Amino acid sequence: PVVEKAKRLAAWTAVDRHVLPEHKVIGIGSGSTVPFVVERIVSQGKAVNKDRVFIPTGFQSKELIVNAKLLLGDVDQYPVIDVTIDGADEVDHDLNAIKGGGACHLREKVLAEAADTFVIVADYRKNSEVLGTNWTQGVPIEVAPFAYAKVLQNLHLIGSPKATLRMAKAKAGPVVSDNGNFIIDAPFPREMMQDPYTLLTRIKMLTGVVEVGLFCHMAKAAYFGNEDGSVLIKW
Ligand code: DER
């Protein structure tokens, strides 16, 4: 399908550009686009990959690395990462991103921050001018289970009356992250999404919030695969 080809295109282009032989510590993101990132890295060959270590951003990411027979590392062993490549739910004109659709944004943000170069790969559906245009389910927020009701109440007060706890589909009860926390999805009005950094700081200050799925001024570039087989690069 067209979207899958677009994901692959974005992933391969980004890997070819940013994962070079001198890059030895690589952060691998989460979601449905990063498998194409791993696929392209594997295609670079055993000789270059035997000297590399790959840091996961969660269980799915770890399984991708292990199944590809790449060397697995941990961010506490490798606090400085050469390049992290990850997906996103939406990216605005300033390279700010909504992440957390896959409930992995805490570890994703740690590895994005730890990387010299953080690059986003996505299909054309994620490319917007303003966050919240296409991704309408809200800003993903990882919260301590103990505090989720209080965080919900405070989100309602600061501008997201429709904020909700993310419920699981294949399990009774809420989604639980790889860190044992809950996720709240908080939609905000367009004018608040036009200043994602201010919004990020306001949400982050709410007691009980562990991490916010707004990645502001972090990505060096974003690669979007288009329906027509072209790639758009924002940087
Ligand atoms: O949760 C995330 O931020 C993931 O990176 C994910 O949302 C990326 O989306 P994808 O499955 O379309 O790559």
Side-chain angles (χ1 to χ4, degrees), residues 195-206 212 214 216:
D195 180 359
Y197 185 73
T198 301
L199 182 56
L200 164 60
T201 56
R202 293 188 62 189
I203 300 171
K204 189 82 185 257
M205 284 304 287
L206 299 177
V212 184
L214 290 172
C216 298

Side-chain angles (χ1 to χ4, degrees), residues 92 96 130-131 189-201 214 216-217:
D92 73 9
N96 299 304
V130 179
L131 295 181
R190 184 177 174 83
E191 56 277 5
M192 291 180 80
M193 297 298 277
Q194 282 170 327
D195 180 359
Y197 185 73
T198 301
L199 182 56
L200 164 60
T201 56
L214 290 172
C216 298
H217 318 133

Side-chain angles (χ1 to χ4, degrees), residues 163-175:
T164 52
L165 183 65
R166 187 182 297 181
M167 301 311 282
K169 292 189 172 57
K171 164 194 171 290
V175 166

Side-chain angles (χ1 to χ4, degrees), residues 7 29-34 86-89 98-105 108 121 123 125-126 135:
K7 291 178 182 195
S30 305
S32 61
T33 306
V34 285
D86 199 350
D89 298 307
I98 294 179
K99 282 177 62 52
C104 297
H105 62 280
E108 289 173 338
V121 290
D123 62 79
R125 298 170 305 166
K126 318 303 189 72
W135 182 265

